[in-house]
Amino acid sequence: MKNLFKKYEGKLPLKVINDLKENMPKNISEAKLKKILEETVTEYNKMLVQPGESVGLVGAESIGEPGTQMTLNTFHFAGVAEMNVTMGLPRIIEILDGKKNISTPMTEIYLKKPYSQGKDIKRLALSIKETTLKEIVSEFVVDIAESKIEIKFDEKKMQDIGVDYPVIQKSIKANFKELALSKKGDVITLKLNEKEKELNQLFKTKEKIKEIYVQGIKGITQVLPIKKGDEFLIITAGTNLKKILELDFVNKPRTISNNVFEISSVLGIEAARQVIINEVYKVIENQGLNVDIRHLMLVADTMCATGAVKGVTRYGVVKEKSSVLARASFETPIKHIFNASLIGEVDNLNSVVENVMLNQPVPVGTGLPGLITKVKRS
Amino acid sequence: MSEAYLNGKFIGTVENPNEFIKKVRDGRRKGTVSNNLNIYYNKITSNIQMNDDKGRLRRPLIVIKDGQSLLTESHIKKLENNEILFSDLVKQGVIEYLDAAEEENAFVAFSREALTKEHTHLEIAPMAMVGLCTSLVPYANFSPGARISIGSKNQKQALGMYAINFPIRIDMDINMLHYPQMPLVQSVMHDVSNYNKHPSGQNMVVAIMSYKGYNVDDAVVLNRASIDRGLGRSTYYRPAIAEELRYSGGLTDEVSIPDKDVKGYKSEKDYRLLEKDGIIFQEAKVTEGDVIIGKTSPPRFLSSMDQYNFAPSSRRESSKALKHGEEGIVDFVLITENSEGNRLIQVKIRDQRIPEIGDKFTSRHGQKGVVGLIVDQADMPFTASGITPDLLFSPHGIPSRMTISHLIELISGKVGALSSRYIDGTLFDVEPEKMLRKELLSLGFRENGVETMYNGITGEQMEAKIYIGNIYYMKLRHMVANKIHARARGPIQLLTRQPTEGRAKEGGLRLGEMEKDTFVAHGASLLLKERFDADRTIVPVCEECGMVAVHDTFKNRLYCPVCGDNVEINFIEVSYAFKLLLDELKSLTIHPKLILKNKY
């Protein structure tokens, strides 16, 4: 029986063969199995896209048409435990245009075993969040006469976030080497150098100290521990996937961000392609629309085909087209025609737009095949 | 302390704003302050805004003092006896005009009965809340505002009698309804505005039922017998205008039958209806292409020699002819002079418009629809008493639009028709529906307006009782005869060789970008090519330089203007638009080189 399956490995995808293997009764006869496999092959071939099918255009129309029905912005998540996320048409445009800075970058952090059950979840979340000094300070006192700054800390907040004085002192020292530092109770006093005794300098230093990085991951502006099904995970606003994946309590294979470019640089282009598909599909599903996922796969494939993420814009995917006329018919025609004339580009009229312009049969569907006959020589 | 503004400009401060405003208002009522001035106190900013500039919408209200109306019985009596006028009441301060801003400070009572001490004004009549056109909608307070607005807008497009002197007027695009009727259900405004002297609709017998699906989606079904008796029949008038223009050098246009050697001479047949003076005669039947006013113009460009050489051949034909698809009868010829002293000829052409499929009809309640089918009387449903409706209206038009007024008019129209009287449907002040129903019952009909009806085709009794009565329907000016358009072959543009655009130019219907996509999506590649063949051309191409060569058909010679005679030149088939693109690229000093290759 195994031999028979092996025979069909080239004709059917592995997944289909495995499915068949699993669902076949143990004592099936050889002849019957062969019949089933033959039938599967014909069915499979029927389902394949036929040569000459204009998949790109059908895909574009299939995404574009329901797109006209999309409500521009959805204003939900007004509740307490959720964040406002860009959804709807703006989000789709953002993804397909290949925007580098997306409007709401987010990470979903899945956790390893004890933590995914809710252990220390709040502390973990806060430890990820990028904390600056001003967030744990209750009062700044600027002493002009002595030219020193007294910083009073909010110890309760410090406890919540999980910072202690040595860490703070260390990070202040790292940023301001010239300051003399002394601690008394919950107050840290900083004294300026004799040289820099100017009043202006004092205030400037105070403002700089406020923004000192204390702990957490840079770029994470907000954290939100939530329960999804029966496990806990952390959602963050702002992304820094590289740093997050370095943490030891993170379930690395499942943690994902919604920033396509970040994914492509951290996890690679295949992951980026999958994120494009997932994110667009999420929006379409969210709007209650029905678009076949294969259309999105095609778009994602085109965007990622070069190995780098390219948006569907005149600087991205369209720029990669080989035909001058096709590029010119999209946007900025004069630029393309001039540049083509400078280097003497040749347009081989291989795709649809050029052939419509020249009133030639477009090479899709019935226009694709040609007939070749042998001419009898008499 | 308040700041005072006049027409938005700061003019000073006021110690006691309330006292100041009272003084101004009293002054206005006494006549010491212009009654064009409106004053408004903004409590939040404690500013006083005064306006007397133009462009504010104002409406008249009766002034109330201490809960008592200033308009007394004696005023009304005097008004009735024509002793005083409305404007006198305004002068006396009994009635004043408020603008939108001052209305914010006013407390207006809806009716005399609702008056209290707090009220500052009283409505003259509840109907005064809406405008002239809207108050022509009967039972308007029973329908949503949006529908009433649509209803009043539709009435403006209704055909009627737009002017009494229409036979001697020359107007562009005018329609006259043949047998206008006064509406059975009227409002006070129909009297006040003299609507009954120039009505613009007809009282039709309407049954609310479907008819084989021919009145879905807001369509209506008409009775052919009614149409044959003149229902919804109208005449369409349009003029042909020609002017004898004067040009420099003492040259003028000339209205006459053009000579045969005039440039652009049509054909003798086209000029056959012209009389000696070059103008058509009255009551002539004309169809497309027929010349109505024969006219020739001097040549466009005069060389110095031509000035002394007035050969008629150099004159251009510039006659006024009937355009494609037009027909009619010459109604009236007017020869006059315009303000510049040029001779002006205006010919009015009339065309009878009998209702046909696609013409637009409406009731007064925003329930417009186009004719979906015209049915023989024999096939129309009929009632027990043998009445066949003029018009069938689909019940699906009612639930979503909630035009209850449409339904009530049907009942009161029925009562009006049966008892031969006009019913009052004035906004907020109608004859109660209860009374109408009682009257209908006493006239021998079901009080709810339904009747047993029979299928006109099979004669079977219908299971449902049909709601049937009279509704005032109007024919709107959008008629298919003015809009119908199709083309198989026709004129093309000079520049692109593509079909012209628009009905007036007998243009093609564009197969646009998205329509093209559907062809591609179906893979119908060769069909797409055929559809775009309208500007197909065959051009010779020089194989050497790749540019369009010259084919001299006269000498049957092929040559390339760049490379000369001794090159291979082949013909290719492309769209003319592409050839144009190549030319434009050349003008940009780009060399578009076509590399030819055999397809097979």
Side-chain angles (χ1 to χ4, degrees):
Chain A
M1 206 159 86
K2 256 200 181 141
N3 279 336
L4 201 60
F5 275 119
K6 194 135 221 175
K7 250 182 168 173
Y8 280 89
E9 246 162 41
K11 296 178 186 172
L12 288 171
L14 215 63
K15 187 168 181 290
V16 177
I17 291 180
N18 286 339
D19 273 6
L20 282 172
K21 263 184 199 168
E22 270 171 42
N23 294 310
M24 231 22 94
K26 281 259 157 64
N27 49 359
I28 192 165
S29 74
E30 192 99 336
K32 228 176 188 178
L33 184 65
K34 190 165 173 149
K35 217 174 168 188
I36 290 173
L37 281 166
E38 264 321 304
E39 190 66 21
T40 317
V41 169
T42 46
E43 254 341 278
Y44 175 76
N45 285 334
K46 255 192 222 166
M47 300 307 285
L48 285 175
V49 170
Q50 287 174 3
E53 179 81 43
S54 19
V55 280
L57 193 137
V58 172
E61 301 272 301
S62 303
I63 300 169
E65 193 273 335
T68 60
Q69 300 168 33
M70 273 204 257
T71 35
L72 207 60
N73 260 316
T74 37
F75 296 103
H76 51 104
F77 301 138
V80 195
E82 280 282 5
M83 284 186 250
N84 200 6
V85 194
T86 315
M87 289 296 262
L89 203 60
R91 176 66 181 146
I92 288 195
I93 291 170
E94 189 173 275
I95 299 165
L96 297 186
D97 280 2
K99 286 261 160 66
K100 287 230 162 77
N101 299 308
I102 59 174
S103 54
T104 45
M106 276 169 49
T107 328
E108 265 179 36
I109 305 173
Y110 287 86
L111 303 166
K112 279 188 182 155
K113 199 67 202 232
Y115 306 106
S116 66
Q117 301 309 310
K119 191 190 170 222
D120 274 352
I121 185 89
K122 208 165 177 194
R123 193 184 59 76
L124 284 182
L126 286 171
S127 76
I128 294 169
K129 192 187 167 193
E130 182 183 357
T131 311
T132 51
L133 195 78
K134 67 175 178 220
E135 285 169 66
I136 47 169
V137 168
S138 63
E139 200 179 354
F140 282 98
V141 179
V142 180
D143 191 330
I144 301 169
E146 302 261 332
S147 78
K148 63 180 181 182
I149 305 163
E150 284 175 16
I151 310 166
K152 199 179 168 191
F153 286 91
D154 186 334
E155 284 188 327
K156 202 177 158 284
K157 265 190 189 162
M158 284 169 66
Q159 226 169 25
D160 283 347
I161 295 168
V163 210
D164 49 9
Y165 288 108
V167 175
I168 298 170
Q169 280 171 322
K170 215 172 134 193
S171 62
I172 296 178
K173 266 186 189 155
N175 280 284
F176 296 92
K177 280 173 189 135
E178 68 284 359
L179 292 182
L181 197 146
S182 59
K183 181 180 167 285
K184 200 179 176 190
D186 58 355
V187 177
I188 288 180
T189 312
L190 301 169
K191 200 153 184 197
L192 248 67
N193 260 346
E194 291 294 316
K195 282 179 194 165
E196 302 170 42
K197 247 184 175 176
E198 280 168 70
L199 187 62
N200 229 350
Q201 192 62 35
L202 196 64
F203 279 98
K204 268 187 188 163
T205 311
K206 191 199 93 184
E207 289 304 316
K208 272 185 192 164
I209 287 172
K210 271 190 183 174
E211 299 300 329
I212 286 180
Y213 160 79
V214 181
Q215 76 153 25
I217 293 169
K218 275 188 182 158
I220 309 294
T221 54
Q222 235 180 315
V223 284
L224 188 72
I226 61 160
K227 200 176 178 187
K228 200 180 195 179
D230 52 0
E231 77 175 316
F232 285 88
L233 51 113
I234 299 169
I235 290 182
T236 70
T239 59
N240 195 338
L241 201 59
K242 202 172 175 185
K243 281 272 154 21
I244 287 171
L245 292 178
E246 282 167 8
L247 299 170
D248 51 358
F249 55 83
V250 168
N251 186 343
K252 292 181 182 76
R254 295 169 71 199
T255 297
I256 198 83
S257 109
N258 69 347
N259 187 337
V260 176
F261 276 89
E262 190 182 29
I263 295 277
S264 120
S265 66
V266 175
L267 299 176
I269 193 72
E270 284 295 330
R273 171 186 171 273
Q274 197 57 46
V275 169
I276 292 173
I277 297 168
N278 291 350
E279 288 291 319
V280 175
Y281 198 68
K282 211 158 76 186
V283 176
I284 287 168
E285 231 178 11
N286 189 291
Q287 298 269 336
L289 302 171
N290 186 22
V291 174
D292 195 297
I293 197 152
R294 283 172 288 179
H295 297 311
L296 305 179
M297 288 160 106
L298 185 70
V299 174
D301 282 341
T302 347
M303 286 173 72
C304 299
T306 55
V309 180
K310 290 232 150 76
V312 189
T313 60
R314 79 179 104 125
Y315 309 107
V317 170
V318 179
K319 204 176 173 185
E320 302 296 317
K321 284 195 178 183
S322 61
S323 161
V324 191
L325 293 176
R327 268 180 282 135
S329 73
F330 183 64
E331 275 167 13
T332 57
I334 294 177
K335 192 182 93 186
H336 281 119
I337 287 169
F338 271 148
N339 288 342
S341 77
L342 285 177
I343 59 170
E345 247 183 277
V346 176
D347 193 322
N348 286 314
L349 309 179
N350 282 332
S351 82
V352 175
V353 201
E354 309 95 280
N355 284 295
V356 170
M357 285 170 83
L358 268 76
N359 193 21
Q360 299 292 318
V362 288
V364 292
T366 54
L368 192 61
L371 284 179
I372 299 174
T373 55
K374 266 187 187 163
V375 182
K376 266 187 193 163
R377 279 167 211 271
S378 52
Chain B
M1 187 128 99
S2 303
E3 291 170 359
Y5 295 86
L6 178 65
N7 295 331
K9 267 189 199 146
F10 176 75
I11 50 166
T13 54
V14 176
E15 276 306 329
N16 191 339
N18 286 324
E19 198 177 295
F20 174 76
I21 288 169
K22 194 173 180 309
K23 227 163 150 183
V24 173
R25 284 185 185 152
D26 283 342
R28 185 174 64 197
R29 284 163 199 173
K30 270 181 211 141
T32 53
V33 174
S34 160
N35 65 28
N36 282 323
L37 182 87
N38 283 106
I39 188 164
Y40 154 65
Y41 180 61
N42 188 332
K43 268 181 198 150
I44 297 159
T45 59
S46 76
N47 284 342
I48 296 170
Q49 301 280 354
M50 283 172 285
N51 286 296
D52 66 350
D53 50 353
K54 53 194 166 185
R56 293 166 299 131
L57 196 63
R58 309 198 308 159
R59 64 196 208 93
L61 292 166
I62 299 169
V63 179
I64 301 297
K65 226 173 203 169
D66 305 322
Q68 289 296 311
S69 165
L70 290 189
L71 185 79
T72 57
E73 288 296 321
S74 68
H75 282 125
I76 293 169
K77 215 163 252 169
K78 275 183 192 165
L79 274 173
E80 278 171 356
N81 297 335
N82 276 336
E83 283 167 40
I84 55 167
L85 294 170
F86 187 82
S87 54
D88 293 320
L89 292 177
V90 178
K91 267 180 212 152
Q92 287 170 27
V94 175
I95 283 169
E96 65 181 358
Y97 284 89
L98 297 193
D99 69 354
E102 194 173 342
E103 264 191 328
E104 292 294 316
N105 290 160
F107 185 39
V108 184
F110 186 72
S111 65
R112 210 168 269 268
E113 293 78 47
L115 268 181
T116 64
K117 275 252 156 74
E118 282 82 52
H119 283 111
T120 60
H121 294 86
L122 171 66
E123 293 282 354
I124 294 173
M127 194 187 69
M129 274 186 278
V130 298
L132 188 140
C133 275
T134 310
S135 54
L136 293 176
V137 179
Y139 299 101
N141 51 319
F142 290 85
S143 284
R147 287 290 138 194
I148 302 306
S149 305
I150 296 170
S152 70
K153 269 176 215 151
N154 284 342
Q155 291 201 59
K156 295 175 202 169
Q157 301 182 359
L159 307 188
M161 185 166 291
Y162 75 102
I164 302 301
N165 62 345
F166 74 92
I168 55 162
R169 284 175 65 106
I170 306 273
D171 294 283
M172 215 21 126
D173 276 325
I174 280 302
N175 290 284
M176 297 286 307
L177 189 68
H178 280 195
Y179 303 102
Q181 295 174 349
M182 287 160 66
L184 280 172
V185 185
Q186 303 203 337
S187 75
V188 171
M189 195 51 81
H190 284 88
D191 287 330
V192 175
S193 66
N194 272 338
Y195 184 90
N196 288 332
K197 293 214 168 126
H198 55 90
S200 50
Q202 287 161 334
N203 295 294
M204 299 195 188
V205 178
V206 177
I208 299 190
M209 60 179 285
S210 66
Y211 189 86
K212 297 201 283 185
Y214 282 99
N215 57 358
V216 291
D217 271 324
D218 280 340
V220 294
V221 172
L222 285 186
N223 189 333
R224 173 159 284 124
S226 314
I227 291 169
D228 290 346
R229 292 181 181 113
L231 180 120
R233 200 170 282 223
S234 61
T235 300
Y236 174 70
Y237 293 99
R238 56 177 286 117
I241 300 169
E243 185 185 350
E244 281 192 339
L245 278 174
R246 279 180 232 266
Y247 300 93
S248 58
L251 298 168
T252 59
D253 287 340
E254 189 187 303
V255 172
S256 63
I257 303 174
D259 277 331
K260 270 185 189 162
D261 43 5
V262 149
K263 211 167 153 194
Y265 187 79
K266 295 182 181 193
S267 75
E268 235 168 279
K269 181 191 158 252
D270 291 331
Y271 299 105
R272 74 188 188 282
L273 297 166
L274 300 187
E275 292 187 326
K276 260 185 255 160
D277 59 356
I279 305 168
I280 205 162
F281 58 90
Q282 289 188 6
E283 298 303 320
K285 236 184 186 171
V286 285
T287 53
E288 63 181 60
D290 288 345
V291 173
I292 290 155
I293 304 163
K295 195 176 84 171
T296 54
S297 303
R300 221 166 266 170
F301 307 104
L302 275 182
S303 66
S304 52
M305 282 303 287
D306 282 350
Q307 255 178 317
Y308 309 101
N309 176 23
F310 279 148
S313 60
S314 62
R315 288 185 74 84
R316 281 180 303 123
E317 141 83 12
S318 58
S319 298
K320 283 278 163 189
L322 226 50
K323 283 186 192 126
H324 179 77
E326 290 181 340
E327 58 173 2
I329 293 164
V330 175
D331 189 64
F332 172 62
V333 176
L334 179 75
I335 299 169
T336 176
E337 212 171 64
N338 72 0
S339 54
E340 277 131 51
N342 297 336
R343 201 157 86 104
L344 185 72
I345 291 107
Q346 297 185 310
V347 178
K348 200 156 113 179
I349 295 152
R350 115 175 85 88
D351 188 20
Q352 182 171 243
R353 293 285 156 86
I354 300 166
E356 59 179 316
I357 289 174
D359 282 357
K360 197 175 175 187
F361 283 83
T362 184
S363 75
R364 288 174 289 179
H365 313 276
Q367 285 286 9
K368 55 176 181 265
V370 293
V371 177
L373 184 69
I374 296 169
V375 180
D376 285 336
Q377 187 172 24
D379 295 335
M380 267 288 193
F382 54 91
T383 66
S385 53
I387 297 282
T388 51
D390 298 315
L391 185 144
L392 298 178
F393 174 84
S394 168
H396 296 290
I398 300 289
S400 56
R401 301 195 234 279
M402 300 180 283
T403 50
I404 306 305
S405 55
H406 186 84
L407 300 178
I408 301 176
E409 193 195 334
L410 186 137
I411 284 209
S412 42
K414 194 171 183 177
V415 172
L418 290 167
S419 59
S420 64
R421 67 186 180 89
Y422 296 104
I423 311 282
D424 187 13
T426 310
L427 182 75
F428 291 114
D429 195 20
V430 296
E431 259 184 69
E433 194 195 335
K434 234 186 218 167
M435 304 294 286
L436 292 169
R437 280 168 175 252
K438 235 183 228 171
E439 197 175 339
L440 194 59
L441 194 64
S442 71
L443 286 162
F445 286 84
R446 279 200 185 78
E447 56 113 35
N448 57 6
V450 301
E451 279 180 51
T452 305
M453 287 187 86
Y454 300 86
N455 186 319
I457 300 166
T458 64
E460 284 173 305
Q461 182 182 325
M462 287 179 189
E463 226 171 275
K465 302 272 177 287
I466 304 295
Y467 193 53
I468 181 171
N470 288 63
I471 299 181
Y472 193 65
Y473 258 83
M474 291 165 292
K475 188 185 189 186
L476 301 184
R477 49 196 289 197
H478 308 283
M479 283 167 285
V480 258
N482 295 330
K483 295 186 172 174
I484 191 165
H485 177 51
R487 152 177 174 150
R489 272 159 274 122
I492 53 166
Q493 279 163 16
L494 199 66
L495 180 69
T496 61
R497 297 206 186 160
Q498 285 170 6
T500 50
E501 196 187 324
R503 185 179 121 99
K505 281 173 270 174
E506 216 198 322
L509 298 165
R510 186 182 179 81
L511 186 103
E513 187 92 11
M514 293 175 90
E515 289 77 15
K516 175 214 79 183
D517 285 353
T518 62
F519 280 79
V520 177
H522 280 91
S525 169
L526 298 167
L527 177 61
L528 176 67
K529 178 182 178 297
E530 206 168 293
R531 255 305 330 233
F532 281 156
D533 264 356
D535 65 340
R536 189 184 79 127
T537 41
I538 290 170
V539 288
V541 174
C542 168
E543 295 262 20
E544 190 70 29
C545 64
M547 287 203 285
V548 176
V550 179
H551 182 207
D552 188 340
T553 45
F554 201 65
K555 289 180 187 157
N556 197 14
R557 197 169 75 105
L558 276 169
Y559 66 95
C560 172
V562 182
C563 312
D565 285 330
N566 290 325
V567 280
E568 196 181 340
I569 289 170
N570 281 302
F571 289 94
I572 59 161
E573 179 199 308
V574 286
S575 61
Y576 192 80
F578 183 69
K579 193 235 148 196
L580 204 66
L581 173 73
L582 296 179
D583 291 344
E584 293 212 12
L585 289 180
K586 280 179 224 159
S587 76
L588 289 169
T589 67
I590 292 172
H591 174 193
K593 185 173 182 183
L594 299 174
I595 304 165
L596 300 190
K597 199 166 67 181
N598 205 320
K599 240 194 212 165
Y600 310 105

